[in-house]
Amino acid sequence: MELKRVVVTGLGAITPLGNSVDVFWENLKKGESGAAPITKFDTQFHKTKFACEVRDFNPVDYDIDKKEVRKYDLYTQLAFASATRAMENAGIDLDEVDKNRAGIIWGTGIGGLQTFFEEVRVFKHERPQFTPFFIPKMIANIAGGLLSIKYGFRGPNFTTVTACASASHAILEAFNIIRMGKCDLMITGGSEASVNEAALAGFNSMRAISTRNDDPATASRPFDKDRDGFVMADGAGALILEEYGHAVNRGARIYAEVIGGGMSADAFHMTAPDPEGTGAMLVMKWAVEDAGIDLTDVDYINVHGTSTPLGDIAEPKAIVSLFGEHAYKLSISATKSMTGHLLGAAGAVEAIATILALRDGIIPPTINHFTDDPEIDSRLDFTFNKAVSRNINIAISNTFGFGGHNATIAFKKY
């Protein structure tokens, strides 16, 4: 079977760095941090008191009926907002779409955690009953289901839940469905709304997140010797993927081509990465092989780079292990240094950053680097602290999740 070509024709982003793709990209290039003291709830009893929140977000600005808002968890609202903007950006005429050949694959790591927490709190302290919206607001697949209702898309519709790799797995599944000829168009991406009391307390208990309360803006510092954990974030990213001929026939603007992907498992530990980066090496290797390119064709890697003590050692090891001497010719950056870690939405937001880097020939920086870590190969080019210009033809984006779930997407400049 001859595989179809797959291209990206629409982007939508709701992030701690801005609620549009253009603002998000400008702030990435400038090296802005989205971290600040938490405003959504009282952090008195929490070790960490900051996060990367989405600000100035009003769901009714994104074609969500005011009466429907109370039925949607924030993660669903963010999904709707980013998907709405991506569809607008792609210029999709729904009257011209074969809705039987259009689908939605969405990713989220947790789903409606805020809904779950709030309903249990109310049940215990205020009234011994639950709202009828509790279950449909909470379940992780509801965003994709509701998007299919909104657009009338009757093609494949499911949700990937692989922790921090969720959105990347969603994009890869959408890519595979189109290239196998089963659909012409897919809405894909991911959303997460985990900046809440339950998640903050849980990650604090794991000692997974930074407690640098005196300076939140510099707390996410991937590959820095003094990193002390990731910074939690809310947000969403949406991509419109289309079969190449379908996009060309309707005169669509094409941002980039998706040329391959890899999926692997660490098979090592519940939360810690394989210290040798074996799973990370394999997933990049398989993405490059799937794309039909050579290792030396890769110019840029948007790395997982979370600012955790163990993860930031394993990923560079994997890069050097796979790419050999070419590793030192790669441009590398960790945009989580600016956005924080969007968990199940990270892969989508970072895919957008990677696509725009390809389009504009600009490598966004890894900010907040102050001290080299002797355990990390200093010959690698992490694009520390300042964006650089570079012609990029092929780039890959890595995301790795708790449980050892790994995904890598390969993009080519169009």
Side-chain angles (χ1 to χ4, degrees), residues 102-126:
I104 295 151
I105 302 180
W106 202 252
T108 187
I110 303 175
L113 182 60
Q114 177 60 39
T115 294
F116 191 99
F117 177 77
E118 184 62 21
E119 284 295 311
V120 171
R121 186 195 66 78
V122 169
F123 179 82
K124 181 178 180 180
H125 297 290
E126 296 181 20

Side-chain angles (χ1 to χ4, degrees), residues 75-99:
Y75 104 92
T76 299
Q77 295 175 22
L78 294 169
F80 261 64
S82 63
T84 297
R85 290 294 181 258
M87 286 288 281
E88 293 169 352
N89 183 246
I92 302 293
D93 183 348
L94 290 174
D95 292 332
E96 300 296 323
V97 172
D98 181 348
K99 295 182 178 64

Side-chain angles (χ1 to χ4, degrees), residues 340-359:
H341 193 348
L342 287 99
L343 305 180
V349 171
E350 289 159 22
I352 292 170
T354 305
I355 289 164
L356 297 176
L358 277 168
R359 183 194 69 180

